[in-house]
Coordinates of all heavy atoms in Angstrom, one line a residue:
F117 N -2.2 -1.4 -9.6 CA -1.9 -0.4 -8.7 C -0.4 -0.4 -8.4 O 0.2 -1.4 -7.9 CB -2.6 -0.8 -7.4 CG -2.4 0.2 -6.3 CD1 -1.8 1.5 -6.4 CD2 -2.5 -0.3 -5.0 CE1 -1.6 2.3 -5.3 CE2 -2.3 0.6 -3.9 CZ -1.8 1.9 -4.1
L118 N 0.3 0.7 -8.8 CA 1.8 0.9 -8.6 C 1.9 1.7 -7.3 O 1.7 2.9 -7.3 CB 2.3 1.7 -9.9 CG 2.1 0.9 -11.1 CD1 2.7 1.9 -12.3 CD2 2.9 -0.4 -11.2
N119 N 2.3 1.0 -6.3 CA 2.4 1.5 -5.0 C 3.9 2.1 -4.8 O 4.7 1.6 -5.2 CB 2.1 0.5 -3.9 CG 2.3 0.9 -2.5 OD1 3.2 0.6 -1.8 ND2 1.5 1.9 -2.2
E120 N 3.9 3.3 -4.3 CA 5.2 4.0 -4.1 C 6.0 4.1 -5.5 O 7.1 3.5 -5.6 CB 6.0 3.4 -3.0 CG 5.3 3.6 -1.6 CD 5.2 5.0 -1.2 OE1 5.6 5.9 -1.8 OE2 4.3 5.2 -0.3
C121 N 5.3 4.6 -6.5 CA 5.8 4.4 -7.9 C 7.2 5.2 -8.0 O 8.0 4.8 -9.0 CB 4.7 5.1 -8.8 SG 5.1 4.7 -10.6
T122 N 7.6 6.1 -7.3 CA 8.9 6.8 -7.4 C 9.9 5.8 -7.1 O 11.1 6.1 -7.6 CB 9.1 8.1 -6.5 OG1 8.8 7.7 -5.1 CG2 8.1 9.1 -7.0
E123 N 9.7 4.6 -6.6 CA 10.7 3.6 -6.3 C 10.9 2.7 -7.6 O 11.8 1.9 -7.7 CB 10.3 2.7 -5.2 CG 10.2 3.4 -3.9 CD 9.7 2.4 -2.7 OE1 9.2 1.3 -3.1 OE2 9.7 2.8 -1.6
L124 N 10.1 2.8 -8.6 CA 10.0 2.0 -9.7 C 10.8 2.6 -10.9 O 10.8 3.7 -11.1 CB 8.5 1.6 -10.1 CG 7.7 1.0 -9.0 CD1 6.2 0.8 -9.6 CD2 8.2 -0.3 -8.5
Q125 N 11.3 1.6 -11.7 CA 11.9 2.0 -13.0 C 10.9 2.4 -14.0 O 9.7 1.9 -14.0 CB 12.7 0.8 -13.4 CG 13.9 0.4 -12.7 CD 14.6 -0.8 -13.2 OE1 14.5 -1.1 -14.4 NE2 15.2 -1.6 -12.4
K126 N 11.2 3.3 -14.8 CA 10.2 3.7 -15.9 C 9.7 2.5 -16.7 O 8.5 2.5 -17.1 CB 10.8 4.9 -16.7 CG 9.9 5.3 -17.8 CD 10.7 6.4 -18.5 CE 9.7 6.9 -19.8 NZ 10.5 7.8 -20.6
E127 N 10.6 1.6 -16.9 CA 10.3 0.4 -17.8 C 9.1 -0.3 -17.3 O 8.3 -0.9 -18.0 CB 11.5 -0.4 -18.0 CG 11.3 -1.6 -18.9 CD 11.1 -1.3 -20.3 OE1 11.1 -0.1 -20.7 OE2 10.4 -2.2 -21.1
V128 N 9.0 -0.4 -15.9 CA 7.8 -1.1 -15.3 C 6.6 -0.4 -15.7 O 5.8 -1.2 -16.1 CB 8.1 -1.2 -13.7 CG1 6.8 -1.7 -13.0 CG2 9.3 -1.9 -13.2
F129 N 6.6 0.8 -15.6 CA 5.3 1.6 -16.1 C 5.0 1.4 -17.5 O 3.8 1.0 -18.0 CB 5.4 3.1 -15.8 CG 4.3 3.8 -16.4 CD1 2.9 3.8 -15.7 CD2 4.4 4.5 -17.5 CE1 1.9 4.5 -16.2 CE2 3.2 5.1 -18.2 CZ 2.0 5.1 -17.4
V130 N 6.1 1.4 -18.3 CA 5.9 1.3 -19.8 C 5.3 -0.1 -20.1 O 4.3 -0.3 -20.9 CB 7.3 1.4 -20.5 CG1 7.1 1.0 -22.0 CG2 7.7 2.8 -20.5
Q131 N 5.9 -1.2 -19.4 CA 5.4 -2.6 -19.7 C 4.0 -2.6 -19.2 O 3.1 -3.3 -19.8 CB 6.3 -3.6 -19.1 CG 7.7 -3.7 -19.8 CD 7.6 -4.1 -21.1 OE1 6.7 -4.9 -21.6 NE2 8.4 -3.5 -22.0
I132 N 3.7 -2.1 -18.0 CA 2.3 -2.3 -17.5 C 1.2 -1.6 -18.2 O 0.2 -2.1 -18.6 CB 2.3 -1.8 -16.0 CG1 3.1 -2.8 -15.1 CG2 1.0 -1.4 -15.4 CD1 2.4 -4.1 -15.0
S133 N 1.8 -0.4 -18.7 CA 0.8 0.5 -19.4 C 0.3 -0.2 -20.7 O -0.8 -0.2 -21.2 CB 1.4 1.8 -19.7 OG 0.5 2.7 -20.4
M134 N 1.2 -0.9 -21.3 CA 0.8 -1.6 -22.6 C -0.1 -2.7 -22.4 O -0.7 -3.2 -23.3 CB 2.1 -2.1 -23.4 CG 3.0 -0.9 -23.9 SD 4.3 -1.6 -25.0 CE 5.4 -2.4 -23.7
R135 N -0.1 -3.3 -21.1 CA -0.8 -4.6 -20.9 C -1.9 -4.4 -19.9 O -2.6 -5.4 -19.7 CB 0.3 -5.6 -20.3 CG 1.2 -6.0 -21.3 CD 2.4 -6.7 -20.8 NE 3.2 -7.3 -21.8 CZ 4.2 -6.5 -22.4 NH1 4.3 -5.2 -22.1 NH2 4.9 -6.9 -23.5
C136 N -2.1 -3.2 -19.6 CA -3.3 -3.0 -18.6 C -4.5 -2.6 -19.5 O -4.5 -1.7 -20.1 CB -3.0 -1.9 -17.6 SG -4.4 -1.6 -16.4
L137 N -5.6 -3.3 -19.2 CA -6.8 -3.2 -20.1 C -7.7 -2.1 -19.6 O -8.4 -1.6 -20.5 CB -7.6 -4.5 -20.1 CG -6.8 -5.7 -20.6 CD1 -7.7 -6.9 -20.7 CD2 -6.4 -5.4 -22.1
Y138 N -7.7 -1.8 -18.3 CA -8.7 -0.8 -17.8 C -8.1 0.4 -17.2 O -8.0 1.5 -17.7 CB -9.8 -1.4 -17.0 CG -10.6 -2.3 -17.6 CD1 -10.7 -3.7 -17.2 CD2 -11.3 -2.1 -18.8 CE1 -11.3 -4.7 -17.9 CE2 -12.1 -3.1 -19.5 CZ -12.1 -4.3 -19.1 OH -12.8 -5.2 -19.7
K139 N -7.7 0.3 -15.8 CA -7.1 1.4 -15.1 C -5.8 1.1 -14.4 O -5.5 0.0 -14.1 CB -8.1 1.8 -14.0 CG -9.2 2.9 -14.4 CD -10.0 3.2 -13.2 CE -10.9 4.3 -13.3 NZ -10.5 5.7 -13.8
I140 N -5.1 2.2 -14.3 CA -3.7 2.1 -13.5 C -3.8 3.2 -12.5 O -4.2 4.3 -12.7 CB -2.6 2.4 -14.5 CG1 -2.5 1.5 -15.6 CG2 -1.3 2.4 -13.7 CD1 -1.4 1.8 -16.6
F141 N -3.6 2.6 -11.2 CA -3.5 3.6 -10.1 C -2.1 3.7 -9.6 O -1.4 2.7 -9.5 CB -4.4 3.0 -8.9 CG -5.9 2.8 -9.3 CD1 -6.3 1.5 -9.8 CD2 -6.7 3.8 -9.2 CE1 -7.6 1.2 -10.1 CE2 -8.1 3.6 -9.6 CZ -8.5 2.3 -9.9
I142 N -1.7 5.0 -9.3 CA -0.4 5.2 -9.0 C -0.4 6.0 -7.7 O -1.2 6.9 -7.6 CB 0.4 5.9 -10.0 CG1 0.5 5.1 -11.3 CG2 1.7 6.5 -9.5 CD1 1.0 5.9 -12.5

Side-chain angles (χ1 to χ4, degrees):
F117 177 21
L118 300 173
N119 179 242
E120 297 299 344
C121 194
T122 52
E123 298 175 350
L124 304 178
Q125 297 174 24
K126 181 179 176 182
E127 183 63 16
V128 171
F129 174 79
V130 170
Q131 293 300 322
I132 289 297
S133 184
M134 288 189 293
R135 290 166 176 80
C136 182
L137 300 176
Y138 298 119
K139 265 188 175 307
I140 300 171
F141 301 95
I142 294 171

